[in-house]
Amino acid sequence: MVHRYRMRVCAGLTAALLAVSGGYAFSAPDDEMTQDIETAVQGVDAYWEAHWSEFFTETYVPPAVLGEYDGASPNVPTCDGEPLADDNAVYCSTDDEDYVAWDTDLMRFGYEYGDAFVYLVVAHEWGHAIQNRLDAELQSVDGELQADCLAGAELEGAAQDGTVVFEPGDVDEVHTALVRDADKTPWTKEGDHGSASERVDAFAMGQELGVEGCLPQEVSAEGATALDR
């Protein structure tokens, strides 16, 4: 399982994504990392748009994408009135908010070790948005590990669809990131997210077993519902 997902969404898909997705519309990317983040967003959104009905009822509704923020800025965005944490990534869900976001410094730190890092972060936070759209019985008590599992399922599924391209080394980069950064930042704090080995195993399970492998074993995906957003 040595891949490298330098994800590039097929050109014909981009316009459709912007028409149906959760309101994200990136300006022209000004650097390679921003391009990778954009492609990661489009890739996971495309996967769920295409496959949601295979697993769950209701309609797939993507989260909005706040995208990059500066956690050290006095004007940092908020979630439920609280400033977003520095060096973190977040899925924000309140009665009025439903978005994913990530600190620029966090992304740039991880990107220095390989572009796979930003795909992992985007897919993990998107995984939390998916969790929030499911019936409680389909949500794992280990929410962070379930998000890692869903990240693996999303990215592997998009690659199988042919909307993204895996290049040699990327899955190794993901595993290395989960081990190297464990407990160093709020996004990888072991007490919140599980140990490095647990996170690697969860991601691999999603890759190997798909979405259903990320759901509690004692329940079926039948009857899952989406939030009315």
Side-chain angles (χ1 to χ4, degrees):
M1 293 181 63
V2 179
H3 304 288
R4 179 178 181 80
Y5 34 75
R6 167 83 179 213
M7 298 187 178
R8 295 186 175 87
V9 176
C10 295
L13 187 62
T14 302
L17 282 170
L18 291 174
V20 302
S21 67
Y24 65 83
F26 289 89
S27 59
D30 58 1
D31 61 27
E32 191 170 1
M33 187 189 80
T34 304
Q35 293 177 41
D36 281 319
I37 292 173
E38 175 184 355
T39 308
V41 168
Q42 293 176 343
V44 295
D45 189 28
Y47 172 77
W48 286 112
E49 181 68 29
H51 297 283
W52 177 267
S53 62
E54 298 173 13
F55 308 108
F56 309 119
T57 60
E58 303 301 332
T59 302
Y60 168 62
V61 180
V65 179
L66 178 68
E68 293 182 56
Y69 68 90
D70 179 1
S73 168
N75 299 316
V76 63
T78 62
C79 177
D80 199 23
E82 295 296 322
L84 300 186
D86 197 13
D87 295 327
N88 205 356
V90 64
Y91 165 61
C92 176
S93 175
T94 70
D95 290 342
D96 301 315
E97 298 167 301
D98 180 58
Y99 70 79
V100 293
W102 31 83
D103 180 84
T104 299
D105 288 342
L106 170 72
M107 293 300 227
R108 293 203 179 281
F109 169 78
Y111 200 76
E112 291 179 0
Y113 296 92
D115 58 359
F117 181 83
V118 300
Y119 293 101
L120 171 63
V121 173
V122 170
H124 175 91
E125 299 308 330
W126 214 276
H128 282 307
I130 297 303
Q131 287 173 317
N132 195 44
R133 284 148 170 74
L134 303 182
D135 286 340
E137 65 177 4
L138 297 178
Q139 299 175 17
S140 170
V141 294
D142 297 318
E144 295 296 339
L145 295 179
Q146 187 178 41
D148 283 332
C149 184
L150 288 169
E154 293 162 351
L155 297 180
E156 184 69 26
Q160 292 178 6
D161 287 347
T163 57
V164 301
V165 176
F166 280 42
E167 297 174 352
D170 269 356
V171 169
D172 285 346
E173 286 182 15
V174 168
H175 292 180
T176 298
L178 292 174
V179 172
R180 181 193 65 234
D181 299 333
D183 215 21
K184 287 185 179 180
T185 69
W187 187 78
T188 55
K189 188 175 180 181
E190 184 171 311
D192 298 331
H193 291 77
S195 69
S197 61
E198 287 173 330
R199 297 195 68 187
V200 168
D201 289 346
F203 183 89
M205 180 178 294
Q207 283 193 297
E208 295 169 6
L209 301 180
V211 172
E212 291 182 332
C214 302
L215 304 177
Q217 294 182 0
E218 63 272 17
V219 299
S220 163
E222 294 178 0
T225 58
L227 293 178
D228 182 17
R229 290 196 178 274

